[in-house]
């Protein structure tokens, strides 16, 4: 796809995996996806070859799918291999985690074996605060921290469950199990709450539906091999792999 001509302005913010730049219109920003990878609150650092390209394209695909299914998102259009144009939102300082299957911190916390199916999808909230290590919090604690109003948190959690209801069957058709994922939401200048940040193998656990092979950032977190290959495999199954290649 030919790159669109949208001038990147000043860098407004740099996160662990992305940079945010000003766009020509103040209600928009350009989000640039890097190859940098971190885990354990930044303690482990590395690079995953072409991750930025794959996550930009995968996130764009997921946001388009969700928009077309009625979920408002910050996504406007993909601009280049690594850049997407998004609405300029103020991020609500909550990580909204949806789980279908026990894995990761839930397995550690409860002693349940990884891979145990949950009877119902569950939602957890963590408060975005690197200094505190993004602690798990209740809805009431999130309200008392001033993250959002109670009704807004209910709305966010209900959107997160809807996202799961859209992505889970979509991914299963691509032979991927959606084990769990993390979402972030933001407020637009008009006060609308929209899905923001990214949806990618950095923020989701994807397991091969037949072999349960991990095809996500857990390979990096757990020092496994085949990390870039796992990202490419997800993109091959989900994204527009046939019309562009990371090797270009
Ligand atoms: P967890 O099992 O480590 O709590 O992770 C739950 C989900 O959230 C998993 O899909 C990975 C994702 N996640 C992030 O996107 N960012 C993070 O900082 C963490 C800890 C998890």
């Amino acid at each position: 796809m030919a790159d669109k001509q949208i001038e990147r302005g000043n860098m407004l913010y740099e996160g662990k995996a992305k940079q945010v730049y000003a766009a020509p219109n103040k209600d928009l920003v350009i989000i640039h996806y890097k190859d940098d990878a971190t885990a354990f609150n930044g303690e482990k650092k590395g690079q995953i070859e072409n991750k930025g390209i794959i996550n930009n394209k995968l996130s764009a695909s997921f946001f388009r799918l969700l928009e077309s299914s009625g979920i408002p998102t910050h996504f406007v259009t993909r601009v280049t291999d690594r850049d997407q144009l998004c609405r300029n939102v103020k991020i609500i300082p909550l990580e909204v985690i949806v789980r279908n299957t026990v894995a990761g911190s839930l397995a550690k916390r409860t002693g349940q074996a990884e891979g145990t199916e949950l009877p119902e999808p569950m939602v957890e909230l963590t408060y975005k605060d690197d200094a505190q290590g993004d602690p798990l919090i209740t809805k009431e604690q999130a309200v008392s921290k001033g993250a959002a109003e109670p009704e807004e948190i209910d709305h966010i959690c209900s959107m997160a469950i809807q996202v799961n209801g859209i992505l889970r069957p979509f991914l299963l058709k691509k032979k991927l199990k959606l084990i769990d994922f993390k979402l972030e939401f933001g407020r637009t200048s008009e006060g609308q709450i929209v899905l923001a940040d990214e949806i990618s193998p950095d923020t989701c656990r994807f397991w091969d539906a037949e072999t349960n092979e991990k095809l996500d950032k857990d390979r990096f977190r757990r020092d496994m091999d085949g990390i870039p290959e796992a990202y490419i495999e997800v993109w091959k199954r989900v994204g527009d792999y046939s019309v562009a290649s990371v090797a270009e």
Side-chain angles (χ1 to χ4, degrees):
M1 190 200 286
D3 288 354
K4 290 174 192 139
Q5 293 304 311
I6 298 181
E7 285 285 308
R8 243 167 41 178
N10 295 333
M11 187 161 75
L12 305 173
Y13 171 78
E14 175 148 31
K16 297 187 191 100
K18 300 189 289 301
Q19 295 166 334
V20 181
Y21 290 87
N25 171 335
K26 71 174 175 34
D27 286 330
L28 300 172
V29 288
I30 290 171
I31 300 187
H32 175 82
Y33 282 69
K34 305 189 284 184
D35 286 348
D36 296 351
T38 65
F40 316 120
N41 203 9
E43 258 173 56
K44 179 178 165 122
K45 290 193 177 68
Q47 291 244 318
I48 301 174
E49 195 185 5
N50 292 321
K51 172 172 85 78
I53 299 176
I54 294 173
N55 283 1
N56 180 31
K57 293 184 176 184
L58 272 174
S59 271
S61 301
F62 288 131
F63 283 134
R64 280 192 211 104
L65 170 68
L66 293 169
E67 283 276 354
S68 72
S69 310
I71 303 287
T73 80
H74 72 159
F75 179 76
V76 178
T77 188
R78 190 162 66 73
V79 183
T80 68
D81 268 0
R82 288 180 182 271
D83 292 358
Q84 56 183 250
L85 187 68
C86 291
R87 293 159 83 184
N88 186 6
V89 299
K90 192 158 189 309
I91 292 287
I92 294 168
L94 295 174
E95 298 200 336
V96 183
I97 295 163
V98 180
R99 300 182 186 270
N100 296 306
T101 302
V102 175
S105 68
L106 182 65
K108 285 212 184 84
R109 214 182 315 133
T110 61
Q112 286 173 291
E114 254 202 352
T116 309
E117 287 288 314
L118 294 166
E120 294 284 334
M122 66 169 65
V123 181
E124 293 175 351
L125 299 174
T126 71
Y127 188 73
K128 269 172 72 76
D129 181 350
D130 281 342
Q132 300 266 325
D134 296 346
L136 197 62
I137 55 167
T138 63
K139 172 181 154 187
E140 292 73 17
Q141 287 162 346
V143 172
S144 97
K145 290 283 267 176
E149 297 299 322
E151 311 74 47
E152 292 178 323
I153 297 180
D154 290 342
H155 178 51
I156 285 168
C157 292
S158 127
M159 275 201 275
I161 288 290
Q162 282 180 58
V163 168
N164 187 49
I166 297 161
L167 293 186
R168 202 179 176 191
F170 170 82
L171 287 160
L172 204 51
K173 283 196 203 120
K174 319 279 180 188
K175 302 249 178 307
L176 290 170
K177 275 193 227 167
L178 181 58
I179 301 300
D180 57 30
F181 57 97
K182 183 266 299 181
L183 300 177
E184 294 186 28
F185 292 84
R187 281 196 188 81
T188 65
S189 57
E190 291 106 46
Q192 187 191 11
I193 294 183
V194 299
L195 182 60
D197 194 51
E198 70 179 276
I199 303 178
S200 74
D202 274 16
T203 61
C204 304
R205 288 195 173 96
F206 300 123
W207 291 4
D208 179 272
E210 271 151 32
T211 64
N212 282 346
E213 185 187 5
K214 295 182 198 306
L215 295 171
D216 56 62
K217 195 172 148 189
D218 265 355
R219 298 193 83 86
F220 171 80
R221 295 188 187 100
R222 299 177 189 203
D223 297 320
M224 297 165 78
D225 61 5
I227 303 168
E229 291 79 6
Y231 282 71
I232 290 173
E233 183 57 29
V234 174
W235 184 31
K236 276 185 179 170
R237 294 191 198 187
V238 174
D240 51 1
Y241 191 81
S242 57
V243 295
S245 161
V246 282
E248 276 173 357

